[in-house]
């Protein structure tokens, strides 16, 4: 047993001596594959290359990128814009100056009537924005016949000073007549004059406390301007719905810059807590508003003549327009500009989609049903252009029916004209039949034949412009329309300013070019001028500034370069920059991380050495 052990030991030693050279060979092979150690110079070169790339990126590329892609946002007076939008910047007032003339009266009597009527107006007035201010006419104020008259002039000096800057809204002429039992009022339809006819006993002695004539005049003035007050009140109460008319979807739900308190709304601030109109009046005003056209600086009026026969061969439309329509267009030019075009088409029947006219033997007329009026216009064959130029087109159609179906009227109302809301009007021109003309008819239409149609078109045009139906005086209607349009333009421009301010706050990444800032400044400046002109009673100047403010507000809100970025989300930017910066940025970042790791490893190994 003792001899076996050495042999086993020898075998193990032999095996051990055989594995040891193999291990040494593997170690030598591994050591031969390691790269040679880097020199200090190559390490410094690599570090300088990496640093130079990052220096170019950080100090040249990044600033250049920020500068070329930065969004310019011009400074906007946001709080002032919101003040206008919420009714805090201006409370419009309408001081209407009314001159009182008494050519047959003593100046002292005229002054008594003016003062008594003014007191009656102040007691009856429940509309804080409408101020009816009476003053003596210029013929009384400028008279200097006696010392007593100079005292009257001194008492009226305030009226005279005011009248030099304010426009005269109405002239009242006092006419005493002995044969009357009660006072009467006669309004001139073609001027701004109101004649007050009264018996002399309605002017009491100086010691009397009652003044029946003053009460009567105050009541007539309230009636004259009642519809204007209703229109202004309706415009102001309907304004909150238009504040967000331009607000985009992206800005919805955002908090306003300066919200109103629950107890005070923009309408209350503008109205001065005036009572709102009744529901019946509101419904009537809403119906009239939906019929009227939206305000535009220019309207294009197209008058078209359609006939189902070869007659007429001509029409004196130019003479008729110059005599019956041009005066109205000239008076309304203070509100908007108008262009007039005419056209004629023969063998033009009305639409075949409606029933043929029915003969009414009792009235000896041909009738159209009311429900067929909406399909009367033959849009497929009649050349009715929907728009000419930049402004809206008002279409007025004269239809001359066939002699065998004339006269042609509406069955329910026996009328021969109707209005198509926000589009135009139609007049069926029923001329005398050939039988009554002894079988003879002129070859065309004279201006007298066209007169009834143009007079109807005049009233329809006023309706499209939003003019009131009362008073009957056309100049007074134009004056009322001037003031109402001024209010609507102020509200529209103010609402646009509020929408722009909300948009600026809601979208901080949107560009605001300098042109927008300039338009905003112009809008606010002209809004301020409009408010001051209204307070001074210069309504024509107020309307002019309001139109300029509205135009500037729309130009600023719909700036092309700004609107294009409202709907440009950040995801688009990622899609543009990622394919460009990814291949360039990944190698730079990885090399920088690798170098940082090497430096960290080297520092740790140096720290571990004794």
């Amino acid at each position: 047993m003792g001899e076996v052990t050495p042999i086993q030991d020898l075998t193990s030693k032999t095996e051990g001596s055989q594995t040891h050279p193999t291990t040494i060979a593997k170690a030598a092979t591994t050591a031969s594959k390691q790269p040679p150690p880097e020199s200090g110079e190559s390490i410094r070169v690599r570090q300088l290359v990496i640093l130079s790339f990052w220096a170019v990126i950080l100090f040249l590329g990044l600033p250049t990128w920020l500068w070329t892609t930065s969004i310019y946002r011009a400074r906007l007076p946001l709080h002032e814009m919101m003040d206008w939008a919420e009714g805090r910047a201006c409370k419009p007032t309408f001081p209407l100056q009314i001159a009182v003339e008494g050519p047959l009266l003593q100046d002292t009597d005229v002054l008594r009537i003016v003062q008594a009527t003014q007191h009656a107006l102040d007691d009856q007035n429940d509309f804080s924005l409408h101020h009816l201010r009476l003053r003596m006419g210029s013929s009384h104020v400028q008279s200097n016949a006696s010392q007593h008259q100079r005292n009257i002039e001194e008492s009226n000096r305030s009226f005279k000073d005011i009248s030099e800057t304010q426009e005269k809204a109405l002239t009242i002429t006092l006419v005493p007549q002995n044969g009357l039992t009660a006072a009467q009022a006669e309004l001139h339809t073609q001027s701004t004059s109101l004649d007050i006819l009264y018996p002399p006993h309605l002017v009491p002695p100086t010691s009397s406390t009652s003044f029946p004539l003053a009460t009567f005049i105050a009541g007539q003035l309230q009636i004259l301007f009642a519809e204007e007050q209703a229109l202004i009140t309706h415009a102001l109460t309907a304004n909150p719905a238009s504040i967000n008319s331009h607000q985009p979807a992206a800005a919805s739900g955002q908090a306003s810059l300066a919200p109103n308190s629950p107890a005070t709304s923009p309408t209350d601030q503008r109205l001065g807590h005036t009572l709102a109109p009744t529901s019946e009046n509101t419904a009537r005003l809403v119906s009239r508003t939906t019929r009227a056209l939206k305000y535009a600086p220019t309207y294009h009026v197209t008058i078209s003549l359609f006939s189902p026969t070869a007659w007429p061969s001509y029409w004196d439309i130019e003479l008729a327009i110059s005599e019956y329509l041009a005066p109205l267009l000239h008076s309304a030019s203070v509100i908007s500009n108008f262009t007039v075009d005419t056209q004629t088409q023969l063998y033009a029947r009305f639409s075949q989609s409606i029933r043929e006219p029915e003969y009414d033997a009792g009235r000896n007329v041909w009738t159209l049903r009311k429900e067929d009026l909406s399909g009367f216009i033959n849009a497929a064959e009649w050349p009715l252009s929907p728009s000419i130029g930049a402004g809206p087109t008002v279409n007025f159609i004269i239809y001359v029916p066939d002699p065998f179906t004339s006269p042609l009227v509406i069955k329910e109302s026996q009328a021969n004209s109707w209005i198509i809301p926000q589009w135009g009007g139609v007049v069926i021109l029923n001329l005398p039949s050939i039988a009554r003309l002894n079988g003879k008819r002129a070859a065309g239409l004279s201006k007298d034949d066209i007169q009834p149609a143009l007079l109807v078109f005049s009233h329809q045009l006023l309706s499209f412009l939003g003019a009131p139906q009362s008073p009957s005086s056309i100049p007074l209607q134009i004056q009322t329309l001037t003031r109402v349009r001024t209010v609507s333009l102020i509200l529209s421009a103010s609402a646009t300013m509020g929408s722009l301010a909300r948009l600026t706050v809601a979208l901080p990444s949107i560009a605001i070019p300098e042109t927008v800032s300039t338009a905003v400044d112009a809008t606010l400046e002209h809004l301020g001028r409009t408010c001051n002109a209204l307070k001074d009673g210069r309504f024509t100047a107020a309307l002019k500034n309001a139109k300029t403010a509205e135009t500037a507000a729309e130009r600023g809100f719909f700036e092309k370069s700004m609107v294009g970025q409202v709907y440009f989300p950040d995801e688009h930017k990622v899609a543009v920059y990622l394919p460009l910066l990814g291949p360039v940025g990944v190698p730079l970042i990885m090399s920088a991380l690798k170098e940082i790791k090497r430096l960290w490893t080297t520092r740790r190994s140096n720290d571990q050495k004794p």
Side-chain angles (χ1 to χ4, degrees):
M1 294 297 290
E3 298 175 354
V4 177
T5 304
I7 297 173
Q8 293 177 349
D9 294 340
L10 181 61
T11 304
S12 62
K13 291 179 180 179
T14 305
E15 293 177 354
S17 61
Q18 291 177 355
T19 57
H20 181 69
T22 305
T23 303
I24 295 173
K26 290 181 179 179
T29 304
T30 304
S32 64
K33 291 182 179 180
Q34 293 294 330
E38 285 187 289
S39 63
E41 183 66 24
S42 62
I43 294 175
R44 285 193 298 271
V45 170
R46 185 175 68 250
Q47 291 176 348
L48 289 175
V49 170
I50 295 175
L51 288 175
S52 62
F53 272 104
W54 278 102
V56 171
I57 292 174
L58 294 177
F59 298 107
L60 181 60
L62 186 61
T64 304
W65 176 73
L66 292 176
W67 179 65
T68 55
T69 60
S70 62
I71 299 175
Y72 178 75
R73 289 172 61 89
R75 296 181 61 87
L76 298 180
L78 299 179
H79 290 286
E80 186 177 357
M81 294 163 66
M82 291 304 301
D83 287 343
W84 278 100
E86 298 179 356
R88 295 190 298 267
C90 175
K91 179 182 177 182
T93 56
F94 306 90
L96 304 184
Q97 295 301 315
I98 301 174
V100 180
E101 299 281 354
L104 303 179
L105 300 177
Q106 296 292 327
D107 294 338
T108 53
D109 294 335
V110 176
L111 180 60
R112 285 184 55 217
I113 295 174
V114 168
Q115 294 174 344
T117 306
Q118 186 65 62
H119 288 305
L121 283 173
D122 295 338
D123 294 338
Q124 298 178 12
N125 186 25
D126 58 352
F127 189 66
S128 60
L129 306 184
H130 228 219
H131 305 293
L132 302 180
R133 293 291 177 257
L134 272 66
R135 59 179 176 85
M136 294 178 63
S138 58
S139 60
H140 298 280
V141 175
Q142 294 176 358
S143 175
N144 295 312
S146 62
Q147 179 64 35
H148 181 68
Q149 186 58 39
R150 285 193 293 270
N151 295 334
I152 295 177
E153 179 186 356
E154 182 69 22
S155 65
N156 287 276
R157 181 170 298 172
S158 59
F159 294 109
K160 181 179 179 181
D161 295 338
I162 295 175
S163 64
E164 291 177 353
T165 58
Q166 295 181 341
E167 300 173 2
K168 183 171 61 175
L170 182 68
T171 299
I172 297 177
T173 303
L174 303 174
V175 183
Q177 290 189 358
N178 294 321
L180 298 177
T181 58
Q184 299 177 2
E186 295 181 358
L187 181 64
H188 297 207
T189 59
Q190 300 300 324
S191 65
T192 58
S193 298
L194 176 67
D195 293 342
I196 300 296
L197 311 178
Y198 66 95
H201 66 82
L202 291 183
V203 180
T206 308
S207 58
S208 177
T209 57
S210 62
F211 210 126
L213 180 60
T215 304
F216 174 79
I217 297 175
Q220 292 297 314
L221 292 177
Q222 291 288 346
I223 294 173
L224 283 179
F225 296 101
E227 190 165 357
E228 177 179 340
Q229 295 179 0
L231 288 172
I232 294 175
T233 303
H234 173 70
L236 293 174
T237 53
N239 178 60
S242 66
I243 288 180
N244 297 324
S245 59
H246 294 301
Q247 189 169 346
S252 61
Q254 298 292 333
S256 61
L257 294 178
N260 294 310
S261 62
T264 305
S265 66
T267 304
D268 294 332
Q269 295 177 13
R270 291 190 178 98
L271 283 174
H273 303 283
T274 303
L275 294 177
T278 62
S279 58
E280 181 180 355
N281 291 336
T282 300
R284 180 170 53 87
L285 292 174
V286 169
S287 176
R288 186 183 305 173
T289 303
T290 56
R291 176 190 302 176
L293 291 166
K294 183 182 178 181
Y295 171 79
T298 301
Y299 294 98
H300 304 283
V301 178
T302 300
I303 302 177
S304 306
L305 174 66
F306 296 105
S307 173
T309 64
W311 189 88
S313 60
Y314 70 90
W315 59 328
D316 293 332
I317 187 61
E318 293 184 1
L319 293 176
I321 290 175
S322 62
E323 185 169 346
Y324 304 121
L325 188 60
L328 174 63
L329 299 180
H330 177 72
S331 300
S333 62
V334 65
I335 301 170
S336 298
N337 297 322
F338 297 90
T339 62
V340 181
D341 299 301
T342 62
Q343 62 177 348
T344 306
Q345 181 170 340
L346 304 179
Y347 299 103
R349 293 188 56 84
F350 52 79
S351 178
Q352 300 298 320
S353 62
I354 65 175
R355 286 169 289 188
E356 292 292 328
E358 301 174 353
Y359 182 70
D360 187 346
R363 294 187 174 89
N364 193 25
V365 294
W366 293 83
T367 61
L368 287 171
R369 294 181 180 271
K370 186 177 181 180
E371 57 267 21
D372 291 334
L373 298 181
S374 59
F376 183 85
I377 304 298
N378 191 350
E381 298 181 9
W382 293 0
L384 298 173
S385 176
S387 179
I388 300 176
T393 299
V394 185
N395 293 279
F396 291 128
I397 295 177
I398 300 176
Y399 183 79
V400 182
D402 190 291
F404 299 102
T405 58
S406 180
L408 182 62
V409 297
I410 303 172
K411 183 176 182 179
E412 289 77 7
S413 61
Q414 298 300 307
N416 67 329
S417 63
W418 65 92
I419 282 181
I420 302 176
Q422 298 186 1
W423 188 84
V426 180
V427 172
I428 300 176
L429 188 59
N430 294 308
L431 298 173
S433 63
I434 297 178
R436 287 192 294 171
L437 295 175
N438 298 324
K440 297 180 180 180
R441 171 178 279 184
L445 293 173
S446 65
K447 65 180 183 64
D448 294 331
D449 295 331
I450 308 173
Q451 177 188 8
L454 292 187
L455 293 180
V456 173
F457 291 157
S458 299
H459 291 285
Q460 291 179 349
L461 180 60
L462 288 174
S463 177
F464 286 130
L465 294 178
Q469 296 180 349
S470 64
S472 59
S473 172
I474 300 298
L476 286 180
Q477 292 183 16
I478 298 298
Q479 284 189 8
T480 297
L481 185 58
T482 300
R483 291 185 281 269
V484 173
R485 284 297 192 192
T486 302
V487 172
S488 64
L489 290 175
I490 290 176
L491 299 180
S492 177
S494 301
T496 304
M497 290 292 98
S499 299
L500 182 57
R502 295 185 186 91
L503 179 66
T504 303
V505 175
L507 300 177
S509 62
I510 189 174
I512 303 178
E514 195 64 34
T515 54
V516 175
S517 177
T518 303
V520 168
D521 293 339
T523 301
L524 298 179
E525 178 184 358
H526 285 282
L527 282 175
R529 293 180 181 179
T530 302
C531 190
N532 294 332
L534 284 179
K535 293 178 181 179
D536 295 339
R538 297 179 289 110
F539 303 116
T540 303
L543 178 60
K544 182 179 179 181
N545 284 286
K547 291 192 291 186
T548 305
E550 167 69 6
T551 303
E554 294 293 321
R555 184 176 65 252
F557 188 85
F558 293 104
E559 170 65 32
K560 295 180 180 179
S561 60
M562 184 176 67
V563 173
Q565 295 186 11
V566 174
Y567 308 101
F568 191 81
D570 294 335
E571 288 79 1
H572 289 190
K573 300 178 182 178
V574 175
V576 170
Y577 289 120
L578 190 59
L580 176 63
L581 299 181
V584 177
V586 170
L588 290 174
I589 294 174
M590 294 304 297
S591 61
L593 292 177
K594 186 176 180 180
E595 185 64 23
I596 293 173
K597 183 179 179 181
R598 189 194 64 79
L599 292 175
W600 175 257
T601 304
T602 304
R603 177 172 294 183
R604 287 188 61 185
S605 61
N606 294 334
D607 293 340
Q608 291 177 359
K609 290 181 179 180

